[in-house]
Amino acid sequence: MTTRKPPFAPQRTHGLAGGRALRPSSKVLPEHARGHNRSLVLQTLYLAGERSRADIARETGLTRVTVSDLVAELIAEGLVLELGPREDARPGKPATLLELNALAFHIIGIDLSEFAIFRGAVLDLRGQIISRAEIPLENSTGADAAAKVVALVERLVAAATLPILGVGVGSPGIVGLGGVVLTAPNLGWVNEPLQQSLAERFGLPVLVANDANAAALAEHSFGGADSDMILIKIGHGVGAGLLLDGSPFFGGRFAAGEIGHVVVGTDGGAECVCGKRGCLETWLATPRLDAALAAAASSDERTTILTEAGQRLGIALAPVVGALDLAEVVLSGPTELLDGVLGTAVIETLRARTMAEYHGGLILRMTTLGEDIVLRGAAAMVLSGQLGVS
Amino acid sequence: MTTRKPPFAPQRTHGLAGGRALRPSSKVLPEHARGHNRSLVLQTLYLAGERSRADIARETGLTRVTVSDLVAELIAEGLVLELGPREDARPGKPATLLELNALAFHIIGIDLSEFAIFRGAVLDLRGQIISRAEIPLENSTGADAAAKVVALVERLVAAATLPILGVGVGSPGIVGLGGVVLTAPNLGWVNEPLQQSLAERFGLPVLVANDANAAALAEHSFGGADSDMILIKIGHGVGAGLLLDGSPFFGGRFAAGEIGHVVVGTDGGAECVCGKRGCLETWLATPRLDAALAAAASSDERTTILTEAGQRLGIALAPVVGALDLAEVVLSGPTELLDGVLGTAVIETLRARTMAEYHGGLILRMTTLGEDIVLRGAAAMVLSGQLGVS
């Protein structure tokens, strides 16, 4: 089970640039404390549902006065609703129940991680998808690809029927400070200031993060992930997102999770686009796997291909599981490829190559969020960055 | 260069149980804020040296009143000294300079990680060693080994000439919540409540952590480590300690860094004490390396043995460097084995097996803290847990 630390954002959000307003300062200044406490109130209502002011005070450790003050502000902003008196048998005046107003805002989520298509959605504050839109990429790169992101956001802004809390984008490649896509080879982007250009174009808060990191965040917010988890996203490329101590980990230079071009094993392997041999992507990227399976002569041969792919992922992950004491590995990608022989080979390899006494309880599972994982992760970024809830 | 986050402890200290008083709460309560602010003042003086109250207020963002109040408390406790007026040319009344009183306390550090001997030291608040003591282990295990720890602490308590801030212990094995040694096979300990028994015996604050985690903390506090670093401790066994985002990372079940029994490569390897084949320890543990080198017929053969050992460490670390975007790998252990052919093979292997564009700047170096790294790390644990400085 997840040990949730409410709220998410104030713990470590530096990778979600734009959420910086909620970043914990090492200085406990009054304005920081207020923002922090506001997030605490919202997080309590977000996770716990209907609560009275007294409930919130008790659960957060904040004073009644502080809670009442913050709740008044949140009601004025339309983020919190008064539901009326609690119906219970307690003596005295019944407390007024509050809830987070799920209809206060819509969120726009964008997934740029698929090879041939940009997908987007309007989501509610619970991360449920309200409507969808997509634009075929048609091999666009550079400015053309960026223009297609703008066109997709434009459509979704028009489709939203509530005020928009913000726009979250999961991009392939390395996404640095301020949501700059430092490098995304498939899209021909180098130092593409996607976050800033979208924010200026639409006048909305925008958060851009790596697609696998967004997916890990979705697992955290909506998928019930363990607090020490690696999510492996397998598609045209192979990437990973990490939750450590319940918070996403982005790395000092925002390249955490970039395991696709780590060489696996000591017995060679196929040549990779990067020039090396035996990178994880040569074993697991879906075009490679699909091609190998299509060429296979028998069912046995297909099983061998999937088993070897899973073993390679297990070999690569064993030192990571050992070094980080991970509790859970979550796979995201084509179910028909991953959920079965391949996944079984991953967990068996991990068990065979790590210490049973520490990692015997390691869990491997498919994401429950399906193909919408990046869209929902993009929404989770906005929830975390703008409201401090997750 | 390290990006230091003052202070260390309030960020993430849950692995250093006993330092829990300084653990960040998700609730910003007045008493928490006060402890946090007190640590900020101490950390500023610890890192920056002589400062006036106004300097501290400016550098921490705290108000002048808060700083004066906290400084008065710290002066009363003897932790801060007034040095007298600043000698400078600024007009007006010169400010009074303050410094951390390095002679306020001694710290006791204990290193249980060596195979045949328990080592200890009295250290000052700067982590400098004042005096030493040691007790040969003579194959003691279980209660006998625990009694030798008590005897060693007893000697060092007697040797200290200042009040003792606390006792830090770096232990082999897995150390869990509350400084319980969950398992340390070499010492025959299972669920050994070392922290509690020492605290009760001596009436002092005691912090027990894994030896490699203590070593990583020493690199953080005294060795100028990068904020995203893995320290590999090579001795009778092989372990690791991690700094992520400038804070030590212990893992959800305190087993982070346990990489000694991860299988490396896909080409077999020697049988390990754990029953598997090709564990990192079979390539790198010093008894194995020493035996292989002693049996070598030529200088070339010795070079091959050291190169292969380094390559294996590189193979194991490549996925960890990729997943965590690490900036630095620090080796701790016998210089004559590690510093040369072996170390070169590690970094060359890491470069060959990761993405040059992300990890080309990766640094590998020997620790500068030599054989005292665990002793100094144990002192850093006490500084962090008791004063919130690092």
Side-chain angles (χ1 to χ4, degrees):
Chain A
M1 283 299 296
T2 306
T3 321
R4 286 185 181 272
K5 296 181 187 165
F8 172 79
Q11 291 282 343
R12 281 161 70 188
T13 57
H14 73 280
L16 299 177
R20 300 187 76 79
L22 289 172
R23 189 180 174 191
S25 169
S26 51
K27 303 160 191 174
V28 180
L29 303 176
E31 62 268 38
H32 286 88
R34 186 172 176 87
H36 184 100
N37 292 343
R38 181 185 148 101
S39 293
L40 271 179
V41 171
L42 283 171
Q43 179 77 356
T44 303
L45 290 171
Y46 191 72
L47 291 184
E50 300 176 7
R51 285 292 185 276
S52 70
R53 289 170 178 80
D55 296 334
I56 296 170
R58 192 172 51 249
E59 291 173 22
T60 59
L62 299 172
T63 66
R64 291 284 298 264
V65 172
T66 300
V67 171
S68 291
D69 182 30
L70 290 166
V71 165
E73 177 184 297
L74 292 165
I75 289 174
E77 293 173 27
L79 260 167
V80 167
L81 295 178
E82 284 192 319
L83 295 176
R86 188 199 301 267
E87 291 175 17
D88 60 15
R90 296 179 215 179
K93 185 172 169 242
T96 302
L97 285 176
L98 309 167
E99 72 170 1
L100 194 70
N101 180 7
L103 298 177
F105 290 105
H106 277 156
I107 298 171
I108 291 175
I110 304 287
D111 176 4
L112 309 181
S113 71
E114 288 189 30
F115 191 52
I117 202 158
F118 284 168
R119 298 173 64 221
V122 176
L123 300 99
D124 69 16
L125 292 186
R126 294 278 167 201
Q128 297 298 313
I129 291 176
I130 307 297
S131 65
R132 297 172 185 272
E134 52 186 50
I135 289 186
L137 193 54
E138 293 168 333
N139 299 314
S140 302
T141 57
D144 290 347
K148 289 195 170 174
V149 180
V150 170
L152 182 57
V153 174
E154 218 155 48
R155 273 207 237 164
L156 291 161
V157 166
T161 54
L162 293 173
I164 295 168
L165 184 63
V167 179
V169 182
S171 170
I174 309 286
V175 181
L177 207 62
V180 175
V181 182
L182 302 177
T183 164
N186 287 345
L187 297 173
W189 286 347
V190 176
N191 295 325
E192 177 72 28
L194 190 61
Q195 183 167 301
Q196 190 189 334
S197 58
L198 290 175
E200 286 172 1
R201 172 72 181 74
F202 292 100
L204 288 168
V206 178
L207 292 164
V208 179
N210 168 269
D211 55 349
N213 287 331
L217 195 45
E219 272 298 329
H220 171 77
S221 292
F222 308 120
D226 194 279
S227 55
D228 293 284
M229 182 274 282
I230 191 164
L231 178 134
I232 309 293
K233 190 169 181 305
I234 296 169
H236 194 76
V238 176
L242 282 161
L243 292 180
L244 299 179
D245 264 3
S247 296
F249 180 79
F250 301 101
R253 290 150 306 167
F254 304 99
E258 289 299 316
I259 59 167
H261 295 283
V262 166
V263 176
V264 191
T266 46
D267 51 1
E271 198 172 321
C272 185
V273 288
C274 74
K276 302 199 295 293
R277 280 194 167 274
C279 291
L280 193 56
E281 285 199 0
T282 66
W283 298 94
L284 275 171
T286 52
R288 297 258 194 174
L289 263 183
D290 285 335
L293 291 170
S298 67
S299 162
D300 277 4
E301 205 179 315
R302 281 189 287 277
T303 299
T304 303
I305 289 164
L306 291 171
T307 302
E308 283 183 353
Q311 286 170 341
R312 290 291 151 159
L313 182 54
I315 292 167
L317 289 182
V320 179
V321 166
L324 294 175
D325 189 17
L326 296 179
E328 195 175 51
V329 177
V330 178
L331 303 183
S332 167
T335 308
E336 68 279 11
L337 292 178
L338 306 180
D339 193 11
V341 171
L342 192 153
T344 303
V346 177
I347 188 71
E348 284 178 355
T349 305
L350 278 170
R351 294 232 163 93
R353 295 175 79 98
T354 55
M355 286 284 271
E357 58 190 294
Y358 309 141
H359 307 297
L362 183 74
I363 286 168
L364 178 128
R365 63 174 174 87
M366 290 295 297
T367 176
T368 55
L369 304 176
E371 293 186 358
D372 293 328
I373 189 167
V374 174
L375 288 178
R376 297 185 71 184
M381 287 155 54
V382 174
L383 278 166
S384 170
Q386 292 301 112
L387 301 183
V389 303
S390 66
Chain B
M1 284 297 296
T2 305
T3 319
R4 285 186 182 272
K5 294 181 188 167
F8 171 79
Q11 291 281 342
R12 280 160 70 186
T13 57
H14 72 279
L16 299 177
R20 300 186 77 79
L22 290 172
R23 189 182 174 191
S25 169
S26 52
K27 303 162 191 176
V28 180
L29 302 176
E31 62 269 38
H32 286 89
R34 187 172 176 88
H36 185 98
N37 293 342
R38 180 185 149 101
S39 292
L40 271 179
V41 171
L42 282 170
Q43 179 78 355
T44 303
L45 289 171
Y46 190 72
L47 291 182
E50 301 176 6
R51 286 291 185 275
S52 70
R53 289 170 179 80
D55 296 334
I56 295 169
R58 195 172 47 250
E59 291 172 22
T60 59
L62 299 172
T63 66
R64 292 284 300 264
V65 171
T66 300
V67 171
S68 291
D69 181 31
L70 289 166
V71 164
E73 176 183 297
L74 292 165
I75 288 173
E77 292 174 27
L79 260 168
V80 167
L81 295 177
E82 285 193 318
L83 296 176
R86 189 201 299 268
E87 291 175 17
D88 60 14
R90 297 179 214 181
K93 184 171 170 243
T96 302
L97 286 175
L98 308 168
E99 71 170 4
L100 193 71
N101 180 9
L103 298 178
F105 290 106
H106 277 155
I107 299 171
I108 290 175
I110 303 287
D111 175 6
L112 308 181
S113 70
E114 290 190 29
F115 190 54
I117 203 160
F118 283 169
R119 299 173 62 219
V122 177
L123 301 98
D124 69 16
L125 292 187
R126 294 279 166 201
Q128 297 298 314
I129 290 175
I130 307 296
S131 65
R132 296 173 186 271
E134 53 186 51
I135 289 186
L137 194 52
E138 292 166 333
N139 300 316
S140 302
T141 56
D144 291 348
K148 288 195 170 173
V149 180
V150 170
L152 182 56
V153 174
E154 219 156 47
R155 273 209 236 162
L156 291 161
V157 167
T161 55
L162 293 173
I164 295 167
L165 184 63
V167 180
V169 181
S171 169
I174 310 285
V175 181
L177 206 64
V180 174
V181 182
L182 302 177
T183 164
N186 287 345
L187 297 173
W189 286 346
V190 176
N191 296 325
E192 177 72 28
L194 190 61
Q195 183 168 300
Q196 190 190 334
S197 58
L198 289 176
E200 285 172 3
R201 172 71 181 74
F202 293 99
L204 289 168
V206 177
L207 291 164
V208 179
N210 167 269
D211 55 348
N213 285 332
L217 196 46
E219 273 297 328
H220 171 76
S221 292
F222 309 121
D226 194 279
S227 54
D228 292 285
M229 181 274 280
I230 191 164
L231 178 133
I232 309 294
K233 188 167 185 305
I234 297 169
H236 193 77
V238 176
L242 283 162
L243 292 180
L244 299 179
D245 264 3
S247 296
F249 181 79
F250 300 102
R253 289 150 305 165
F254 305 99
E258 289 300 315
I259 58 167
H261 295 283
V262 166
V263 176
V264 191
T266 46
D267 51 1
E271 198 172 323
C272 184
V273 288
C274 74
K276 302 198 295 294
R277 284 197 165 270
C279 291
L280 193 56
E281 285 199 0
T282 66
W283 298 94
L284 275 171
T286 53
R288 297 260 194 170
L289 262 184
D290 285 336
L293 291 169
S298 67
S299 162
D300 277 3
E301 204 178 315
R302 279 189 288 275
T303 300
T304 302
I305 289 164
L306 291 170
T307 302
E308 283 183 353
Q311 286 170 341
R312 291 291 152 162
L313 182 54
I315 291 167
L317 289 182
V320 180
V321 166
L324 294 174
D325 190 17
L326 297 178
E328 196 175 51
V329 176
V330 178
L331 302 183
S332 167
T335 307
E336 68 280 10
L337 291 178
L338 307 180
D339 193 10
V341 171
L342 192 153
T344 304
V346 177
I347 188 72
E348 283 178 356
T349 304
L350 278 171
R351 294 231 164 93
R353 295 175 78 97
T354 55
M355 286 284 270
E357 59 190 294
Y358 309 141
H359 308 297
L362 183 75
I363 285 168
L364 178 130
R365 64 175 174 85
M366 290 295 297
T367 176
T368 55
L369 303 175
E371 294 186 358
D372 293 329
I373 188 166
V374 175
L375 288 178
R376 298 185 71 185
M381 285 155 53
V382 174
L383 279 166
S384 170
Q386 292 301 112
L387 301 183
V389 303
S390 65

